[in-house]
């Protein structure tokens, strides 16, 4: 017995046992519908005229029992439909099952003819009725509001049953992924799969999840990014590749971060970051039009349009533009930390003293990022935080890198790929030194990747798009948990409170 069982659940279990005692299977093995509810609605005139027998199945969401007859609504993946069962139109056993064993929440099958009631509602008049799966835990009547948010995430299966808008969000998410895949495939990109477990974590600055392979007796890391494997494929001769898959980062959880998340990552030979910015813009615009039929969207209290050309602004120019009074602020990546701290003092006080680039980045993330309604590309990031990117020829302290921001969130990241093995080796050495100083997000040395670069990798540019965040802004979902079916949560350790118990009382609204 589960800790949150109550009297209603006990009674429903007793019904299931009584069904078995009377040779009625409460969990049927197979029952094939001929139509889904949306198909019945779409072809209703033909079905009514022909008196064709239909078989529909779904979960009962509302029910009204009236002695010798019953109206109820069933819901399947495509919609809902009213059904009408009366005592003289179905086998005696079928009506007995309906009257004595059926509850709201049960998954049932109805066979009969389609007609329209006097009130104008499309309905199936049952010739036969069967319980396909007995629901022993009643659906909640109240399932809304912030106080239930964590419960909705934790019990997504119930959330999907009772909240159609939640189901629609995930249908749209699937369509977004399909549209991305189709768009890139039509451009000649090859979809590939690379390892999820890495002997060396790399491809991004992040803390990994660590595991152990018993047979080989080696430690492995869940991948934080597929980048270094995808670029090995570029060495091997694949010129356009992409992967749509999961990454794992052992970091904090927030409305914008989940430790397990989905990324689109792609690489294109012979391009630089400017070409990839164009691809990013076109891809997101076309996917939005394909899935939603528009380029205009609202996210929380912000509106944005993917139709016009996306704005572009350098990192330092963005600070000068978006920080009030900072139009003439002369920030330089090669200034000493003391000079930088003095320059930004009228506008911002960093939480910790550090290198120049860290103070400028902290200022940007605090004062600028929330204002980037966009869509806007921010370019020319410091090389110090871009160890896999090419430097700009005219400014070796700056990387040929961009990030796309929409509604204050980073949606995409890309750069011209560093393909000089000697320079990459030196960058890795600097990252190793940073790890030794306590930066556990810095890269490890990956000698095999250096070895691959020594064979020669063509000029290339890469892109990463966060699928979860892209879905958030296109579906107006304020939290990343709203677009992940089963987001990571703390373990459930408490028994249902009396208030939560009330929420699972079986008190359906009557409909006819």
């Amino acid at each position: 017995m589960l800790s949150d069982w109550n009297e209603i659940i006990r009674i429903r279990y007793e019904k299931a046992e009584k069904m078995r005692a009377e040779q009625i299977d409460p969990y049927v093995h197979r029952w094939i519908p001929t139509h889904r509810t949306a198909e019945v609605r779409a072809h209703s005139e033909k079905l009514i005229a022909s008196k064709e027998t239909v078989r529909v199945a779904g979960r009962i969401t509302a029910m009204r029992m009236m002695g010798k007859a019953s109206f109820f609504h069933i819901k399947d993946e495509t919609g809902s439909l009213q059904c009408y069962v009366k005592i003289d139109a179905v086998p005696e056993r079928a009506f007995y099952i309906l009257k004595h064993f059926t509850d709201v929440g049960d998954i049932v099958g109805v066979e009969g003819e389609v007609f329209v009631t006097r009130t104008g509602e499309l309905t199936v008049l049952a010739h036969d009725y069967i319980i396909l799966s007995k629901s022993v835990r009643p659906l909640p009547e109240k399932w809304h509001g912030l106080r239930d948010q964590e419960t909705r995430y934790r019990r997504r299966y119930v959330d999907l049953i009772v909240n159609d808008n939640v189901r629609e969000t995930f249908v749209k998410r699937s369509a977004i992924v399909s549209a991305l895949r189709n768009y890139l495939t039509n451009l000649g990109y090859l979809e590939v799969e690379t390892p999820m477990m890495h002997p060396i974590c790399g491809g991004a600055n992040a803390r990994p999840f660590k595991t152990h392979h018993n047979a080989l007796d080696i430690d492995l890391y869940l991948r934080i990014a597929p980048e270094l494997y995808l670029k090995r494929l570029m060495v091997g001769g694949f010129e356009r590749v992409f992967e749509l898959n999961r990454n794992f980062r052992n970091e904090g959880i927030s409305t914008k971060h989940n430790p397990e998340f989905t990324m689109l990552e792609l690489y294109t030979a012979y391009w630089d970051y400017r070409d990839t910015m164009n691809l990013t813009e076109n891809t997101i615009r076309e996917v939005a039009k394909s899935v939603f039929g528009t380029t205009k969207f609202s996210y929380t209290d912000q509106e944005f349009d993917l139709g016009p050309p996306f704005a572009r602004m350098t990192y330092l120019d963005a600070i000068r533009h978006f920080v009030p009074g900072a139009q003439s602020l002369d920030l330089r990546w090669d200034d000493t930390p003391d000079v930088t701290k003095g320059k930004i003092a009228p506008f911002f006080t960093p939480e910790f003293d550090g290198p120049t680039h860290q103070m400028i980045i902290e200022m940007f993330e605090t004062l600028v990022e929330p204002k980037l309604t966009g869509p806007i590309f921010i370019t020319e990031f410091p090389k110090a935080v871009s160890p896999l990117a090419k430097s700009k020829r005219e400014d070796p302290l700056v990387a040929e890198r961009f990030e796309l921001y929409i509604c204050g969130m980073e949606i995409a990241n890309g750069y011209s790929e560093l393909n000089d093995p000697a320079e990459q080796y030196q960058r890795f050495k600097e990252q190793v030194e940073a790890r030794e100083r306590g930066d556990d997000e810095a890269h490890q040395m990956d000698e095999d990747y250096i070895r691959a670069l020594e064979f020669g990798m063509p000029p290339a540019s890469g892109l990463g798009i966060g699928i979860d965040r892209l879905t958030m802004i296109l579906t107006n979902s304020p939290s990343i948990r709203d677009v992940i079916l089963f987001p990571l949560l703390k373990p459930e350790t408490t028994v249902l409170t009396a208030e939560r118990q009330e929420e699972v009382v079986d008190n359906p609204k009557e409909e006819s």
Side-chain angles (χ1 to χ4, degrees), residues 212-220:
H212 186 78
H213 193 291
N214 292 331
L216 296 179
D217 193 25
I218 57 172
D219 289 335
L220 294 169

Side-chain angles (χ1 to χ4, degrees), residues 12-157:
R12 288 198 178 194
Y13 266 105
E14 288 177 355
K15 285 185 180 181
E17 287 305 310
K18 188 175 181 182
M19 289 174 70
R20 291 188 180 95
E22 297 186 23
Q23 304 301 308
I24 303 168
D25 189 353
Y27 301 100
V28 171
H29 286 231
R30 186 173 186 267
W31 195 91
I32 306 298
T34 59
H35 297 74
R36 298 205 282 183
T37 60
E39 293 172 328
V40 172
R41 293 190 178 279
H43 304 291
S44 59
E45 291 185 6
K46 178 182 177 182
L47 292 171
I48 292 170
S50 66
K51 296 187 178 298
E52 178 184 342
T53 297
V54 301
R55 286 160 61 97
V56 293
R59 187 184 298 274
I60 295 179
T61 58
M63 185 175 182
R64 181 183 175 190
M65 197 73 194
M66 303 177 297
K68 295 183 179 181
S70 176
F71 284 97
F72 56 87
H73 279 79
I74 62 169
K75 179 180 178 182
D76 67 7
E77 189 178 28
T78 66
S80 64
L81 186 66
Q82 180 169 265
C83 298
Y84 176 45
V85 181
K86 57 181 181 176
I87 194 168
D88 58 354
V90 296
E92 181 180 348
R93 186 172 177 82
F95 196 82
Y96 176 76
I97 292 172
L98 173 70
K99 185 173 182 179
H100 294 281
F101 298 121
T102 301
D103 294 291
V104 170
D106 290 350
I107 298 172
V108 303
V110 177
E111 182 176 317
E113 295 179 11
V114 181
F115 77 107
V116 177
T117 66
R118 289 193 301 272
T119 59
E121 182 158 5
L122 191 68
T123 304
V124 175
L125 172 62
H127 296 164
D128 202 359
Y129 168 85
I130 184 174
I131 292 177
L132 302 175
S133 182
K134 180 65 189 165
S135 171
V136 293
R137 183 176 290 266
L139 295 174
E141 185 185 10
K142 299 177 294 181
W143 197 267
H144 55 81
L146 291 175
R147 65 191 178 91
D148 294 322
Q149 202 73 13
E150 183 173 329
T151 308
R152 288 179 50 216
Y153 296 145
R154 194 177 299 282
R155 300 174 191 173
R156 182 71 83 186
Y157 40 88

Side-chain angles (χ1 to χ4, degrees), residues 153 156 170 253-255 479-484 487-489:
Y153 296 145
R156 182 71 83 186
F170 289 104
I253 298 175
S254 73
T255 56
S479 171
I480 196 168
R481 295 182 180 186
D482 295 327
V483 299
I484 296 175
L488 185 65
L489 300 167

Side-chain angles (χ1 to χ4, degrees), residues 312-321 364 376-381 392:
R312 302 187 183 192
M313 191 175 293
T314 70
Y315 203 96
L316 298 183
D317 282 345
I319 293 176
R320 287 186 278 267
H321 181 80
F364 177 92
I376 182 171
F377 288 110
I378 301 298
T379 66
E380 328 304 8
F381 282 66
K392 289 181 69 68

Side-chain angles (χ1 to χ4, degrees), residues 4 77 133 371 413 424 426 440 505:
D4 62 344
E77 189 178 28
S133 182
K371 300 178 180 180
N413 176 36
Q424 186 65 79
Q426 183 60 37
D440 56 0
V505 170

Side-chain angles (χ1 to χ4, degrees), residues 121-350:
E121 182 158 5
L122 191 68
T123 304
V124 175
L125 172 62
H127 296 164
D128 202 359
Y129 168 85
I130 184 174
I131 292 177
L132 302 175
S133 182
K134 180 65 189 165
S135 171
V136 293
R137 183 176 290 266
L139 295 174
E141 185 185 10
K142 299 177 294 181
W143 197 267
H144 55 81
L146 291 175
R147 65 191 178 91
D148 294 322
Q149 202 73 13
E150 183 173 329
T151 308
R152 288 179 50 216
Y153 296 145
R154 194 177 299 282
R155 300 174 191 173
R156 182 71 83 186
Y157 40 88
V158 181
D159 195 21
L160 291 167
I161 293 171
V162 301
N163 287 323
D164 290 339
N165 61 312
V166 173
R167 174 185 292 273
E168 183 61 22
T169 294
F170 289 104
V171 171
K172 292 296 187 186
R173 178 189 170 111
S174 179
I176 289 168
V177 171
S178 295
L180 282 167
R181 178 175 280 118
N182 292 338
Y183 186 78
L184 293 173
T185 300
N186 289 336
L187 290 177
Y189 286 84
L190 178 71
E191 184 171 10
V192 297
E193 294 180 339
T194 61
M196 287 288 195
M197 295 188 295
H198 294 181
I200 298 172
C201 59
N205 287 0
R207 296 184 184 92
F209 288 95
K210 188 176 181 180
T211 187
H212 186 78
H213 193 291
N214 292 331
L216 296 179
D217 193 25
I218 57 172
D219 289 335
L220 294 169
Y221 303 92
L222 295 184
R223 77 173 183 197
I224 57 176
E227 177 168 344
L228 300 187
Y229 283 94
L230 290 172
K231 289 197 284 193
R232 284 174 170 94
L233 297 180
M234 304 289 287
V235 173
F238 290 109
E239 296 180 352
R240 294 190 171 200
V241 295
F242 77 94
E243 183 167 9
L244 264 164
N245 223 319
R246 298 296 183 85
N247 292 340
F248 306 86
R249 297 182 184 177
N250 196 355
E251 298 171 345
I253 298 175
S254 73
T255 56
K256 299 180 182 179
H257 299 88
N258 193 69
E260 177 183 6
F261 61 98
T262 303
M263 285 283 291
L264 163 68
E265 195 150 326
L266 66 81
Y267 293 86
T268 316
Y270 310 113
W271 281 12
D272 71 6
Y273 74 127
R274 293 168 297 187
D275 302 299
T276 303
M277 276 194 279
N278 295 335
L279 174 69
T280 305
E281 180 172 340
N282 293 333
T283 300
I284 291 176
R285 179 181 296 120
E286 293 305 314
V287 165
K289 289 162 61 177
S290 171
V291 176
F292 297 90
T294 184
T295 61
K296 295 181 179 180
F297 295 87
S298 296
Y299 178 72
T300 59
D301 59 347
Q302 304 174 77
E303 295 184 353
F304 63 95
D305 189 350
L306 300 172
F310 294 4
R312 302 187 183 192
M313 191 175 293
T314 70
Y315 203 96
L316 298 183
D317 282 345
I319 293 176
R320 287 186 278 267
H321 181 80
F322 288 101
V323 177
Q327 292 84 352
S328 301
L329 182 59
D330 182 26
L331 292 177
R332 299 175 183 272
W333 297 114
D334 57 355
D335 279 342
T336 65
D338 286 341
V339 169
T340 299
K341 190 173 182 180
K343 287 182 177 180
I344 67 176
F347 314 99
F348 180 72
T349 302

